[in-house]
Amino acid sequence: MYRYAIMKIDSPNATLVVADFYHSWLTGLVLSLITHKGNEIAAKFIFKLFRYQHHKNFLPGLEKLNLTDLPDAVAAAQYHYFSNQLGGVKVEYLKVSDKKAWIRYPPPRWIWAGTAICAIPGIVNEQMMRGWHAHNGVSLENPRLGFVCTKTTVGGQPGLEGYYLEYDKILTEDERLRFSSDESCPYIDPQTLPVLDQASWPEIRRSKAYRNYAMEYIRNALPIFIELLGEKEALRLGELCALQIGMQCYDNVVRGAGLGGDDEEKFMQLLEFFFSGSGDQWSRNKTSICVQTPTRISKNLDMSHTLKRLLNASLEGLLAAHNRFLKLKFNSDNTFSVVKR
């Protein structure tokens, strides 16, 4: 008998901790592919992920951010400015004219967090822009709109930067992304940057947007990871990555939850914190916790055995760091139990 239920905890702290967890997992997947499979397949993974994200989010995002009446180059740049800002990414914007607008991502780069930036080849970083930035003109039905990249952090320059430019000609597919390292973004006065309306975007909404940004990336990344590698190899490599991320992120989750101790009950409380920060509905009794399905991370996904194992492995990683003499038992009734090995 379940004694109590929590629908969700509207805690900015919990949502931020969960966001950092999924953010780290995304970076880990890319590093796993680079290390174990090579640059080419990692680049293909990034292209597929960012093109998918683009098709899913770009045009709806323009509507949500009230940018649809702007000139195309300006709208594209402002979309990246506001959407990335909500996702916790450092970003700057500068309008030059109706046909040219800069977007700049100062270090540290969000997707290549921490020391990971040292392991990212240029070809992998490039596919991020080819997957998304270079396709904005196509989605806007403006075949003259392209993106010019002038600097990259993975190349040792002080930030990823470039500008949207509406040319006087129709662009070929290869011309939609151009590199021009001799150019530099002008100085951007922070006081001139547009800001989100605080009444429309209070702290809790912004923290949820931050979480959803990272969570959506990993939710979309895992099926692409499985598609590229096949079920067997995706399970082998993906499970390793998920376990490692769970273990590496454990201390950050514990600090966020304000918990101490390494017994079964403390881990159950940790799961409560994690699921609540994820925006999930859950209930529990003394020995198990039940999460309403589909969870936010699995929503709209075809839950294959491999995908389910990867999602569960991230929680197993948390427990491995919590107490290596305990294990998670996944029951048929969508409950999790913590038992001794």
Side-chain angles (χ1 to χ4, degrees):
M1 182 70 180
Y2 288 92
R3 298 186 303 175
Y4 57 90
I6 299 292
M7 300 303 288
K8 61 181 67 176
I9 297 174
D10 284 337
S11 165
N13 183 52
T15 56
L16 294 178
V17 168
V18 169
D20 288 341
F21 183 91
Y22 287 114
H23 173 198
S24 297
W25 196 354
L26 174 63
T27 305
L29 279 178
V30 179
L31 293 177
S32 293
L33 287 172
I34 292 169
T35 303
H36 298 280
K37 293 297 177 181
N39 297 348
E40 184 176 340
I41 196 166
K44 186 179 293 186
F45 170 77
I46 285 294
F47 174 82
K48 283 179 170 289
L49 174 60
F50 276 80
R51 181 59 58 86
Y52 181 87
Q53 291 279 104
H54 171 91
H55 284 310
K56 185 176 181 181
N57 295 320
F58 179 55
L59 293 180
L62 289 175
E63 293 276 355
K64 186 181 293 186
L65 293 167
N66 297 317
L67 304 177
T68 53
D69 292 334
L70 296 175
D72 288 342
V74 177
Q78 284 204 19
Y79 171 85
H80 285 279
Y81 172 74
F82 283 118
S83 64
N84 282 282
Q85 185 182 82
L86 286 170
V89 181
K90 289 180 67 175
V91 61
E92 299 174 341
Y93 155 84
L94 178 67
K95 176 184 175 180
V96 177
S97 69
D98 283 353
K99 294 189 175 183
K100 182 178 180 180
W102 286 86
I103 191 75
R104 183 171 182 273
Y105 307 91
R109 290 291 294 115
W110 179 86
I111 189 170
W112 317 133
T115 56
I117 187 115
C118 302
I120 304 300
I123 187 176
V124 174
N125 189 66
E126 175 185 323
Q127 292 306 307
M128 175 179 62
M129 292 176 283
R130 199 168 296 282
W132 192 315
H133 296 66
H135 206 68
N136 282 1
V138 176
S139 294
L140 289 169
E141 299 182 350
N142 184 345
R144 299 183 304 280
L145 183 66
F147 185 75
V148 181
C149 177
T150 59
K151 299 288 185 291
T152 65
T153 318
V154 299
Q157 289 91 42
L160 171 64
E161 66 177 43
Y163 54 87
Y164 283 98
L165 180 66
E166 186 172 329
Y167 293 79
D168 294 328
K169 65 171 186 175
I170 293 177
L171 304 178
T172 66
E173 183 175 357
D174 288 340
E175 290 174 326
R176 294 171 192 157
L177 176 63
R178 183 166 64 84
F179 292 88
S180 181
S181 58
D182 291 338
E183 297 184 76
S184 295
C185 181
Y187 171 74
I188 299 176
D189 184 349
Q191 301 301 316
T192 66
L193 291 173
V195 296
L196 290 166
D197 178 60
Q198 296 300 306
S200 300
W201 292 92
E203 181 184 9
I204 187 61
R205 186 183 182 191
R206 284 184 281 115
S207 68
K208 289 179 180 178
Y210 178 82
R211 175 201 62 201
N212 294 344
Y213 183 91
M215 184 178 283
E216 184 177 19
Y217 266 106
I218 196 67
R219 178 170 54 236
N220 296 330
L222 289 175
I224 294 172
F225 185 86
I226 295 170
E227 173 194 336
L228 284 176
L229 298 186
E231 296 279 342
K232 183 177 179 180
E233 187 62 4
L235 179 59
R236 183 190 71 83
L237 185 56
E239 194 171 46
L240 171 62
C241 175
L243 287 167
Q244 290 172 327
I245 292 302
M247 291 187 287
Q248 288 292 94
C249 292
Y250 172 77
D251 279 0
N252 189 50
V253 178
V254 168
R255 280 193 299 268
L259 294 171
D262 62 0
D263 59 18
E264 296 96 321
E265 173 59 26
K266 290 298 183 183
F267 190 73
M268 296 291 280
Q269 293 176 20
L270 191 73
L271 287 180
E272 293 171 11
F273 174 83
F274 189 85
F275 290 135
S276 296
S278 299
D280 288 316
Q281 299 178 15
W282 56 267
S283 57
R284 66 161 289 194
N285 61 18
K286 186 175 181 180
T287 59
S288 63
I289 184 168
C290 179
V291 183
Q292 181 173 311
T293 55
T295 59
R296 180 178 288 271
I297 193 63
S298 65
K299 186 178 181 181
N300 298 325
L301 292 182
D302 181 10
M303 290 300 292
S304 65
H305 169 73
T306 299
L307 186 51
K308 185 179 292 186
R309 276 300 309 141
L310 299 189
L311 293 175
N312 288 346
S314 66
L315 302 178
E316 291 173 339
L318 285 172
L319 181 56
H322 178 80
N323 186 328
R324 60 194 172 95
F325 299 105
L326 300 175
K327 69 176 182 178
L328 268 180
K329 181 181 179 183
F330 301 98
N331 306 308
S332 59
D333 59 352
N334 295 324
T335 63
F336 299 81
S337 302
V338 182
V339 299
K340 296 185 184 301
R341 289 189 178 277

